[in-house]
Amino acid sequence: MTGLRRRRPLPPVRRSRARSLAPLAAVTALCGGLLLGPGAPAYAADDHPAFTIEDARVTESSGLAASRLHPGVYWTHNDSDDGPYLYAIDGRSGRTLARITLSGIGSPRDVEAISLGPDGRLYVGDIGDNLDGSWPHVWIYALPEPKQLHDQTVRATQYTVQYEGGPRNAEALMVHPKTGRVYIASKRESGGNLYEGPAKLSATGTNVFRKVAPVDLWVTDGAFSPDGRTLALRGYFGGTYYHWNDGHPKAAGRLAVPLQRQGESLTWTTDGTTLMYGSEGARSEVRPEEAPVQPSPTPGASEKPTPGQGKGQGRQQGGGSDTGGSGASQEDGDQDGAGKGGGTTGKAVLVVVLAGAALYGLRRLRGKRAGK
């Protein structure tokens, strides 16, 4: 048995090289700070990782909602032919933590969306109509988010819904996180509309949803940011985000929607930093993308768009609306794009200059020590 070997000190040349790299490391850190800027979001890339839904019973995940009671858990459901079930999915492992059976409702027909309201209830949208207007009414189910995650039956309240102007197909239901008001975005390839429900839903009468704005997108899901200031709507191949403007949405830019097998669902993480995108199919993947508008660092401060997500970045799919509503749904042109991009470009140039200067100084220092 031999004793522990003592580590030999570095040769003089290696020690001097290590010391000479210190300025370069400092410049690298400075460059990173310049690129990110003081307003960069302070969270790691793996705070909201991608995950795969492992449950073989979930083959048509059509809605997604981030739990508030259970951090890192997402609620989802199949879109049809599954029954009154919700699934609580662990956002790390993709395992199902609980299956919730809804009671007190009829037989679900085409469940397409789920959203969490400020009252702590999950709102489930049985709003699909693949024949594009064949159902005289659709339904919303609301139930308290379970405090414990295990298989259980929870009683829900059923609300009957009709649209101003007649039946519509829809796959996106959003509950505003401050007012509790429910919104539905209709789905048409040529573009649909955003509909607003009553201030308070009635469980005994019919709730008429009225058109408030056209939507120039083939919408498959949507979600409000946790502060209620931004609405995100996605389609199969793209998406748009809107400044909410107290119920008068104004298109602000495009979403970085990932390419998926069949992009169906969308939710905002509870910290407001990330959008999670889901798709249908067995073992479907849920993928994160940085939110286009990051949370304000201090109360009352205005939101700042993510770099590259400037205002008015072009129109999305289609150009019409399903009720002939007038008014542009996007801002015209890239009015602010060049100005916002200029600051990032200037920082990048400065980074290159500083890095080049550091490398030049390093070579000069090495040359002197070599006797050049």
Side-chain angles (χ1 to χ4, degrees), residues 90-116:
D90 178 18
R92 294 281 176 177
S93 67
R95 296 184 301 106
T96 296
L97 302 177
R99 185 172 85 159
I100 306 302
T101 302
L102 278 62
S103 67
I105 64 173
S107 179
R109 190 163 50 198
D110 192 355
V111 179
E112 292 286 357
I114 186 170
S115 183
L116 191 57

Side-chain angles (χ1 to χ4, degrees), residues 6-371:
R6 296 181 60 187
R7 294 184 62 185
R8 291 184 298 174
L10 290 173
V13 175
R14 290 185 181 177
R15 286 203 304 271
S16 63
R17 182 177 300 175
R19 284 195 298 268
S20 66
L21 288 176
L24 182 59
V27 171
T28 302
L30 174 62
C31 293
L34 287 170
L35 281 176
L36 290 176
Y43 66 95
D46 61 353
D47 279 355
H48 306 291
F51 62 93
T52 299
I53 298 177
E54 301 289 349
D55 197 324
R57 298 171 295 183
V58 183
T59 58
E60 293 183 307
S61 174
S62 189
L64 204 62
S67 171
R68 292 201 197 106
L69 293 180
H70 311 286
V73 171
Y74 296 89
W75 293 98
T76 191
H77 52 81
N78 288 311
D79 71 354
S80 58
D81 301 326
D82 182 45
Y85 303 121
L86 301 179
Y87 300 84
I89 308 296
D90 178 18
R92 294 281 176 177
S93 67
R95 296 184 301 106
T96 296
L97 302 177
R99 185 172 85 159
I100 306 302
T101 302
L102 278 62
S103 67
I105 64 173
S107 179
R109 190 163 50 198
D110 192 355
V111 179
E112 292 286 357
I114 186 170
S115 183
L116 191 57
D119 57 359
R121 294 196 298 172
L122 289 164
Y123 289 76
V124 182
D126 190 357
I127 56 177
D129 189 342
N130 291 327
L131 298 179
D132 199 18
S134 62
W135 308 119
H137 59 263
V138 291
W139 301 292
I140 295 172
Y141 314 123
L143 67 152
E145 182 179 16
K147 294 181 180 180
Q148 296 182 347
L149 293 180
H150 57 82
D151 291 0
Q152 57 188 291
T153 297
V154 178
R155 187 170 185 82
T157 301
Q158 179 170 309
Y159 301 101
T160 300
V161 170
Q162 289 183 338
Y163 299 97
E164 175 188 47
R168 296 286 180 267
N169 182 31
E171 294 188 3
L173 178 147
M174 299 76 60
V175 183
H176 194 273
K178 302 301 182 182
T179 67
R181 204 154 194 161
V182 183
Y183 295 84
I184 296 175
S186 60
K187 178 187 178 185
R188 292 194 72 185
E189 187 173 359
S190 59
N193 283 300
L194 182 67
Y195 291 86
E196 179 185 73
K200 185 176 181 180
L201 296 178
S202 170
T204 57
T206 297
N207 298 275
V208 178
F209 277 58
R210 304 188 185 282
K211 185 181 72 173
V212 293
V215 176
D216 193 11
L217 185 71
W218 196 8
V219 180
T220 59
D221 204 4
F224 281 106
S225 60
D227 60 13
R229 296 179 179 178
T230 308
L231 171 66
L233 297 176
R234 74 160 297 175
Y236 293 118
F237 306 111
T240 305
Y241 72 95
Y242 300 79
H243 296 316
W244 186 238
N245 293 329
D246 293 325
H248 304 283
K250 184 177 182 181
R254 293 194 296 262
L255 295 175
V257 178
L259 184 62
Q260 295 178 303
R261 183 177 0 181
Q262 183 174 332
E264 288 282 346
S265 58
L266 171 70
T267 191
W268 226 289
T269 56
T270 54
D271 62 6
T273 64
T274 307
L275 284 171
M276 304 295 289
Y277 294 88
S279 64
E280 282 194 359
R283 302 194 76 251
S284 59
E285 186 181 38
V286 176
R287 294 180 56 183
E289 293 288 346
E290 187 175 358
V293 177
Q294 291 296 307
S296 300
T298 56
S302 60
E303 302 97 329
K304 295 183 179 180
T306 297
Q309 297 285 350
K311 288 183 179 181
Q313 298 180 27
R315 297 178 67 83
Q316 302 297 312
Q317 308 163 33
S321 66
D322 61 358
T323 60
S326 62
S329 64
Q330 295 278 30
E331 292 182 280
D332 296 327
D334 295 322
Q335 299 174 1
D336 300 333
K340 293 181 180 179
T344 303
T345 302
K347 290 179 181 178
V349 171
L350 181 58
V351 166
V352 172
V353 171
L354 288 173
L359 289 173
Y360 176 75
L362 178 60
R363 288 173 181 171
R364 288 286 302 272
L365 182 62
R366 287 178 177 173
K368 289 180 179 178
R369 286 177 176 165

